[in-house]
């Protein structure tokens, strides 16, 4: 058994089983959702507000601009990692990836319309635990429909 202060103990706490949550049909809440705890996340969810410094730390090199007027980037949920967490990556409006979400796409269930094309920066993917211990203050924007995802050649 790992000691509470050990690295193994920290990893177990961070990546441990998600706390038991009551069932939540977040789709019925529609546009009223602003914050969505990570135990309820799904693939293709799109969030605003991932702090650039935390993204750089999590990815080991995310090229954030650190401008005074822009200190965050969107976050996209690529896939679920079994019952442990999620593989996520930042997005940018700068054409920097062949994988993107089209401008004008209506996210579900919020019907938020994407204001610009958002490039999904897969090369900066990283894992986040499902346990609810996410180190970002994220605003839930909705789920990107498959029909809005594009991959250029």
């Amino acid at each position: 058994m790992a000691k509470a202060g050990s690295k193994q103990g920290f990893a177990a706490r961070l990546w441990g089983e998600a706390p038991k949550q009551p069932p939540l049909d977040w789709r019925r809440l529609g546009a009223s959702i602003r914050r969505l705890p990570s135990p309820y996340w799904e693939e293709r969810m799109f969030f605003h507000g991932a702090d650039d410094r935390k993204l750089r730390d999590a990815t080991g090199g995310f090229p954030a601009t650190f401008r005074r007027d822009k200190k965050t980037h969107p976050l996209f949920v690529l896939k679920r990692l079994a019952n442990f967490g999620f593989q996520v990556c930042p997005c940018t409006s700068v054409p920097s990836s062949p994988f993107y979400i089209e401008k004008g796409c209506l996210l579900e269930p919020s019907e938020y319309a994407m204001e610009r094309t958002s490039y999904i920066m897969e090369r900066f993917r990283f894992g986040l635990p499902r346990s609810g211990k996410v180190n970002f203050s994220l605003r839930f924007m909705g789920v990107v429909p498959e029909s809005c995802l594009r991959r250029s050649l």
Side-chain angles (χ1 to χ4, degrees):
M1 195 158 158
K3 294 180 183 176
S6 72
K7 285 184 181 179
Q8 188 177 33
F10 172 76
R13 288 191 310 275
L14 181 66
W15 288 95
E17 185 175 326
K20 299 297 182 210
Q21 301 286 337
L24 172 73
D25 186 0
W26 59 265
R27 291 179 194 280
R28 294 185 73 194
L29 299 174
S32 66
I33 299 175
R34 293 293 176 252
R35 305 276 184 229
L36 186 64
S38 59
Y40 301 112
W41 288 10
E42 296 179 9
E43 293 179 5
R44 300 188 336 267
M45 283 187 167
F46 188 81
F47 296 88
H48 277 172
D51 181 87
D52 286 349
R53 293 181 197 278
K54 292 177 183 176
L55 283 173
R56 185 176 56 190
D57 291 345
T59 63
F62 175 67
T65 58
F66 299 112
R67 296 184 337 228
R68 285 185 181 182
D69 63 328
K70 178 131 174 63
K71 297 182 181 194
T72 65
H73 277 79
L75 198 67
F76 181 74
V77 180
L78 289 166
K79 66 180 180 177
R80 173 169 280 190
L81 300 172
N83 198 33
F84 299 107
F86 302 92
Q87 188 176 67
V88 299
C89 64
C91 298
T92 182
S93 59
V94 177
S96 55
S97 169
F99 189 33
Y100 61 94
I101 304 164
E102 281 192 321
K103 176 182 178 178
C105 173
L106 292 179
L107 303 188
E108 300 167 347
S110 66
E111 296 189 8
Y112 167 78
M114 296 291 290
E115 297 170 359
R116 58 184 65 114
T117 297
S118 192
Y119 296 89
I120 301 168
M121 302 181 74
E122 293 176 287
R123 70 181 182 269
F124 294 108
R125 68 181 75 194
F126 61 99
L128 284 178
R130 186 172 183 262
S131 65
K133 298 174 178 85
V134 175
N135 195 21
F136 292 100
S137 179
L138 300 170
R139 182 172 177 212
F140 176 66
M141 303 309 292
V143 177
V144 178
E146 289 274 351
S147 61
C148 292
L149 293 172
R150 300 285 185 262
R151 191 173 293 275
S152 60
L153 300 175

